Amino acid sequence: MGTGLISQEKLCLSINPLHPLQGFFMIPPFDKRPEWFKGRGYLHITPKIDIRERYIELYALINNPDFVAKHAFFPLIHSIIKERKYKKKPDGTGRAHSFIKEGKLTRTEKKRPLHYATHIDALIFGCYATKLSKLYEENLQADKELNDCVIAYRKIPIEDPDGDNKEVIGKSTIHFAREAFNEIKERGKAGCTVLMFDIKSFFSELNHQKLKEAWCSLLNVERLDPANFNVFKAATEFRYILKDDLRLNPKKHGKRSGFDERKLSVIRKYHGIESFFSSIEEFKEAIKHKRIRVYKHPFVKDKKAVGIPQGLPVSAVLANLYLLSFDKKVLEVVVDGYKGFYRRYSDDIMIICEPEHTNEIEKFMLAEIQKSKVKISPDKTEKYLFQYEQISSRINRLTSTLISGEKKIIGKPLTYLGFEFYGYKTLIKSANIAKYYRRMISAVRRHAHRAGNNHHLIGSRPAIFPRQLRKLYNDIDLSRDKERPERKVLIKNDKGYFHFVKVKATPRPKSNYFAYSRRSGDIMSEPKVKDQLNKHRSIFHAAMSRHLKKIKNQ
């Protein structure tokens, strides 16, 4: 492990055009720095980095292949995000967030492991992610159909037929869902089948050898150079520590405690840094005395280490790169051969085809994905038939039918990228609406509990102030922009020196779930989407009354 720092003498060599290991390159002004060069606010093993103060130093280091090749990457910090799922009970009596299975309480929560790097390591990962992304985009843009197929982790500009929009705006999942649904509507006139596949544990099961081969193929080399190989090794043979081990009272179950704020305050005050440790030596001592444990190989398959961590700046492009040859093969067989429609959003795959080609395409997809050393989740594979149904003497509309073996469920919507598509209408996924309401009610409960504690102290009647929760339920006018203060940027003058100049920051539009709902309705041209949150006020006030009543009865 290393600190990622070098002396000023070595720094001068790293940006010297005569240095044998570093070709001449121009360092852009700070206000025109690349997107990967950005600060990060989280605490880690090593201190936070002032990217403005150390801009020239770090830019030169990270663009020096010799430095990257010898850099010792620090362990990542590991945490888990839990997402509640409202799933069917095993006995078929309905849906729930938890149920009794084999005499034990089972929670239907999905655990998503995240790993994030130290600040210097994240900058390196970000730099190489940009380099790989540029070459990957060149591969995709050489074939328009291939470019249209892969839609995740990319900035795909919205087409502007008039050419009036000077700012490049990227498409969102709303645009991707609309394009897929429009394709179904067009093909549904003659009837079409939609196949939905989900790659099982995608990031955590990527084969390292296949990933290296894809990396070499993209760079058009037989072997990775030392710098690229070191980044590859850091993303595959990574080590990590648990975030919970850094807490005051680490627990495996129950409510987790916070961090030692007194210690963090001392580190800030007396060492002038923001970090979990005052120095690398303190971190090594914590490992030596087993206060912190360093783990490795969290993902194993057939007794071999596999997978890459989610959370690194380079993870997304590596996931796309891993399936580049797969995407090309699907394009050749499904799109060109069967005249189908193919979209892949990370590990979610959609195929739209003619009903008579369904079985052949399904067999091909299952066989082809195995060549990539990953598997399709059988319980998440779905098949839908879209065709016009005579609902009544006056209504003949496009209808979705879920096909599960010999069973057909007419009217079952297709779920894709957060939306439910019925054929004749589109709605935001009901589970997402339910999650929003759960968070609203949870916020009301917390405020009610706080109000109950406070009113015992001051002798007043407990109360909740709705305006404190305004962001949860109030509609926001997107025409008003949130004011941001001026900021200073480095500008190069005529003499070649940099100086600070005040510039007005670009305003950011206010947004919340209502803005997303309204934007979805506008892009989808679906007014019913906006009506899905009509009950938010009644739900909010009912929750507020219920929890205040509980406090008064205590």
Side-chain angles (χ1 to χ4, degrees), residues 431-447:
N432 293 349
I433 299 292
K435 183 188 295 184
Y436 167 76
Y437 283 139
R438 284 200 303 271
R439 289 178 177 175
M440 174 192 287
I441 294 171
S442 177
V444 172
R445 182 172 61 248
R446 289 196 305 271
H447 278 252

Side-chain angles (χ1 to χ4, degrees), residues 289-545:
H289 293 90
K290 298 182 180 181
R291 294 192 298 271
I292 297 291
R293 181 180 174 184
V294 179
Y295 301 84
K296 63 179 181 178
H297 303 320
F299 314 124
V300 177
K301 183 179 180 181
D302 299 330
K303 298 182 180 181
K304 291 183 179 180
V306 295
I308 59 174
Q310 294 187 63
L312 301 185
V314 76
S315 297
V317 65
L318 292 184
N320 271 343
L321 173 60
Y322 185 85
L323 290 179
L324 180 57
S325 59
F326 169 79
D327 292 327
K328 290 181 178 179
K329 190 64 178 179
V330 175
L331 181 69
E332 175 189 340
V333 175
V334 175
V335 178
D336 296 338
Y338 289 101
K339 306 302 178 184
F341 178 89
Y342 169 58
R343 290 293 183 271
R344 183 177 64 79
Y345 191 91
S346 186
D347 55 354
D348 291 328
I349 297 173
M350 169 187 276
I351 300 286
I352 307 175
C353 62
E354 297 178 3
E356 56 266 29
H357 297 150
T358 302
N359 293 334
E360 294 96 322
I361 292 177
E362 186 174 6
K363 290 178 181 178
F364 162 77
M365 293 295 294
L366 295 175
E368 190 63 28
I369 199 67
Q370 289 184 351
K371 297 178 182 178
S372 300
K373 308 294 185 182
V374 290
K375 296 180 180 179
I376 295 292
S377 300
D379 57 329
K380 294 185 179 180
T381 300
E382 297 179 328
K383 186 190 303 182
Y384 293 85
L385 174 64
F386 283 87
Q387 60 186 2
Y388 276 84
E389 298 281 351
Q390 194 70 39
I391 305 301
S392 67
S393 59
R394 295 183 178 182
I395 301 176
N396 181 31
R397 66 190 185 190
L398 184 64
T399 306
S400 170
T401 301
L402 174 63
I403 302 174
S404 179
E406 300 296 326
K407 188 177 179 181
K408 294 184 179 180
I409 306 176
I410 300 176
K412 182 72 173 180
L414 165 68
T415 302
Y416 185 59
L417 299 183
F419 293 91
E420 294 175 344
F421 182 61
Y422 292 79
Y424 59 94
K425 68 176 180 179
T426 303
L427 298 175
I428 295 176
K429 187 178 177 181
S430 56
N432 293 349
I433 299 292
K435 183 188 295 184
Y436 167 76
Y437 283 139
R438 284 200 303 271
R439 289 178 177 175
M440 174 192 287
I441 294 171
S442 177
V444 172
R445 182 172 61 248
R446 289 196 305 271
H447 278 252
H449 180 73
R450 193 178 306 151
N453 291 338
N454 292 341
H455 99 90
H456 288 302
L457 296 175
I458 62 178
S460 62
R461 189 173 63 181
I464 296 178
F465 301 98
R467 289 188 179 183
Q468 294 179 353
L469 303 173
R470 189 173 185 175
K471 63 181 179 180
L472 288 173
Y473 70 94
N474 191 36
D475 203 352
I476 291 180
D477 182 5
L478 288 184
S479 63
R480 293 180 299 171
D481 288 332
K482 184 178 180 181
E483 293 295 329
R484 297 175 65 198
E486 290 184 338
R487 59 190 178 94
K488 293 181 178 181
V489 298
L490 279 173
I491 301 296
K492 192 175 183 180
N493 59 25
D494 297 336
K495 297 181 179 179
Y497 295 102
F498 289 94
H499 64 285
F500 285 105
V501 174
K502 287 185 177 181
V503 297
K504 189 174 182 179
T506 304
R508 292 177 179 172
K510 291 182 178 181
S511 183
N512 65 356
Y513 202 70
F514 290 90
Y516 170 77
S517 173
R518 183 165 55 250
R519 188 165 62 250
S520 299
D522 292 339
I523 294 174
M524 293 281 186
S525 299
E526 181 61 81
K528 293 183 179 180
V529 169
K530 303 176 185 179
D531 298 336
Q532 287 185 269
L533 296 177
N534 282 347
K535 296 182 180 179
H536 69 276
R537 292 184 184 276
S538 60
I539 292 175
F540 173 82
H541 288 289
M544 188 169 62
S545 299

